[in-house]
Amino acid sequence: MITVSTIAELRAARQCLPDPVGLVPTMGFLHEGHLSLVRAARDECAGVVVSIFVNPTQFGPKEDLSIYPHDLPRDLRLLEAEGVDLVWIPTVEVMYPPGYQTWVDVMDVTKPLEGAMRPGHFRGVATVVAKLFNAVQPQKAYFGQKDAQQAVVIQRMVQDMNFPLEVVVCPIRRDADGLALSSRNVYLNPAERQAATVLSRSLLAVQTAYQSGERNASALRKIIAAMIEAEPLAHLQYVSCAAPDTLQEIEGVITGRALLSMAVYVGATRLIDNLVLGE
Ligand code: AMP
């Protein structure tokens, strides 16, 4: 496994990889969710590239950029064990050198949900992912359904900007008690960690209601809101029942597929989770 930092090193190492190449973009502090993407890439591609970059432009001024968890030696051990060929760890200077002034702005699908709560977030995400794609030139790129809106935004960008690659979206990986794996779960104290299971429990309740025939979007949103509000350590930021491709909120009856998603503060930690109904 080769580890590189600069664009020149990356390009040189990339040229030596057999095609097709699969790229897995990450912010490091890896867990089984990340590794599931790496395994999908390893299964489907001849060369596997993982990027580790905590992208400052996708964090808001009051967000957790300065305390974002990291353990690079552990990440590298995990990636080596998965048979990754190339790890790209650019610095902020490599990605955004002095004078940098170019941004990728995806429009409608970035407006609701996470985009409404985190202004500028998806501009940072789309820009850095476009830069990763341009530098690595993968044939496939792997993202997690955990960040459902991010997957939609990247797919939109790839289509609109004619990136010659396929976006692969992998299922959410969860702990045994249902909590979706996230690097941010380390912020939770034991009581908060226990309370955090309310996100996945509320999605299960929605799934059960849906399977019993409930098709009213607002009734499904209310199931989640009621369960989150009943958990003293949790505070609901938003709950949504939206069309999975446009992310437009569904009013009234669900006819096709529906993306149930939420952002919840558990203590000071902001967690997201989602479920697609009708798959
Ligand atoms: P991050 O390091 O949080 O930026 O995540 C890197 C990639 O891993 C993104 O495409 C995420 O959607 C994906 N990911 C994060 N957590 C999970 C999870 N629990 N299951 C599946 N994919 C995940």
Side-chain angles (χ1 to χ4, degrees):
M1 188 172 82
I2 299 172
T3 303
V4 296
S5 177
T6 68
I7 302 274
E9 289 168 339
L10 182 269
R11 284 199 198 282
R14 161 64 178 98
Q15 279 199 332
C16 301
L17 292 181
D19 289 321
V21 161
L23 170 66
V24 182
T26 82
M27 299 202 298
F29 208 65
L30 303 178
H31 52 64
E32 278 293 315
H34 299 111
L35 298 181
S36 71
L37 308 187
V38 171
R39 282 173 205 140
R42 190 66 285 172
D43 279 353
E44 297 174 2
C45 302
V48 176
V49 181
V50 175
S51 61
I52 299 177
F53 180 58
V54 182
N55 175 35
T57 66
Q58 70 189 65
F59 285 76
K62 292 185 183 143
E63 292 183 0
D64 56 343
L65 173 63
S66 62
I67 57 162
Y68 196 82
H70 56 90
D71 186 345
L72 190 54
R74 179 173 172 277
D75 288 350
L76 294 177
R77 279 199 305 277
L78 291 170
L79 295 177
E80 176 117 56
E82 296 297 336
V84 168
D85 299 296
L86 176 56
V87 185
W88 184 24
I89 313 167
T91 61
V92 173
E93 282 276 296
V94 164
M95 288 309 241
Y96 304 107
Y100 188 88
Q101 50 187 290
T102 302
W103 300 96
V104 178
D105 240 328
V106 181
M107 304 311 284
D108 296 359
V109 291
T110 66
K111 299 252 160 35
L113 309 176
E114 290 299 286
M117 300 299 151
R118 306 183 66 187
H121 171 66
F122 286 117
R123 186 172 96 138
V125 168
T127 300
V128 82
V129 171
K131 288 171 66 69
L132 296 172
F133 286 173
N134 279 333
V136 176
Q137 306 207 346
Q139 279 81 15
K140 290 187 170 205
Y142 294 80
F143 293 87
Q145 175 62 20
K146 165 83 183 353
D147 298 277
Q149 187 174 15
Q150 171 172 276
V152 171
V153 169
I154 299 303
Q155 282 168 315
R156 187 74 253 166
M157 178 187 78
V158 163
Q159 204 170 325
D160 291 352
M161 300 305 288
N162 313 107
F163 280 105
L165 59 86
E166 180 193 343
V167 173
V168 181
V169 182
C170 299
I172 301 177
R173 296 295 303 265
R174 299 177 180 280
D175 261 342
D177 62 4
L179 179 66
L181 296 178
S182 165
S183 306
R184 291 187 165 101
N185 291 351
V186 292
Y187 298 148
L188 301 168
N189 68 32
E192 291 167 346
R193 174 67 187 72
Q194 172 60 35
T197 60
V198 73
L199 281 81
S200 58
R201 284 189 282 114
S202 72
L203 288 171
L204 273 181
V206 158
Q207 188 163 45
T208 303
Y210 181 85
Q211 281 163 354
S212 312
E214 180 61 79
R215 292 292 182 278
N216 185 281
S218 130
L220 295 175
R221 286 189 289 264
K222 276 184 189 148
I223 291 173
I224 291 178
M227 285 183 70
I228 303 293
E229 272 151 28
E231 170 50 64
L233 293 179
H235 166 69
L236 182 67
Q237 191 180 39
Y238 71 78
V239 57
S240 158
C241 178
D245 43 354
T246 64
L247 305 180
Q248 289 302 303
E249 207 58 30
I250 299 172
E251 305 300 340
V253 173
I254 299 171
T255 48
R257 295 185 314 137
L259 172 68
L260 264 295
S261 66
M262 73 185 90
V264 176
Y265 277 96
V266 179
T269 304
R270 186 175 182 280
L271 301 176
I272 57 172
D273 203 349
N274 71 83
L275 167 73
V276 179
L277 295 173
E279 297 231 272

